[in-house]
Amino acid sequence: MKKILIIDDDMEITESMRLTLESRGYQVFSGADGNQGLALCEQESPDLVILDMMMPKRSGFLVLEKLRRTLKIPIRVIMITANEGNRHKAYAETLGVDDYIRKPFPMDRLLESVERLIGR
């Protein structure tokens, strides 16, 4: 069973993603801020991280930088954000994000990305 870690401070969005992904057979964990997310990433070794850009304690960018710097085997990362700016997208891409999705988004868009990156 593929493991997915959601790191997002919006519990409503996290819950919708969790229910959708679990209905497709993925095992889902979640953290409400960047620090919690990094700790869970170490504990659970997920196949994919769905990462919000704007969060308390540690932003999605800082989480992504740390993941890219410290993991021997790169993990797949989808960044989600309500930010409209292209500058943020460009920065996320330079850090090696695998996909960048703007909120609000249809769950089909998220599922397509997840399945493309890690399969079922």
Side-chain angles (χ1 to χ4, degrees):
M1 183 181 291
K2 303 272 180 154
K3 293 187 203 178
I4 298 175
L5 171 60
I6 300 170
I7 308 172
D8 194 327
D9 60 323
D10 185 326
M11 289 300 112
E12 201 172 295
I13 290 172
T14 297
E15 189 62 10
S16 309
M17 289 189 289
R18 186 184 66 74
L19 291 171
T20 300
L21 293 165
E22 285 179 348
S23 76
R24 297 296 173 104
Y26 297 103
Q27 186 176 5
V28 181
F29 306 91
S30 62
D33 63 56
N35 291 339
Q36 237 182 33
L38 284 170
L40 279 167
C41 199
E42 269 183 40
Q43 291 167 10
E44 301 296 338
S45 299
D47 298 290
L48 172 77
V49 173
I50 299 172
L51 179 62
D52 186 25
M53 183 194 305
M54 304 298 285
M55 290 181 292
K57 297 186 183 170
R58 191 184 295 234
S59 75
F61 286 131
L62 293 175
V63 171
L64 182 57
E65 285 173 2
K66 180 148 178 124
L67 290 175
R68 292 298 184 235
R69 200 174 56 244
T70 59
L71 294 178
K72 290 180 181 104
I73 300 168
I75 192 167
R76 299 293 198 156
V77 177
I78 299 171
M79 185 168 273
I80 58 174
T81 182
N83 188 299
E84 294 293 322
N86 286 328
R87 207 176 68 216
H88 289 100
K89 181 178 185 203
Y91 185 56
E93 288 169 351
T94 65
L95 293 174
V97 77
D98 294 287
D99 201 357
Y100 188 91
I101 302 175
R102 287 192 172 93
K103 295 176 186 175
F105 53 86
M107 284 299 153
D108 287 349
R109 167 69 175 91
L110 179 69
L111 284 171
E112 179 273 330
S113 183
V114 168
E115 289 169 9
R116 180 173 47 81
L117 293 172
I118 64 169
R120 280 204 173 199

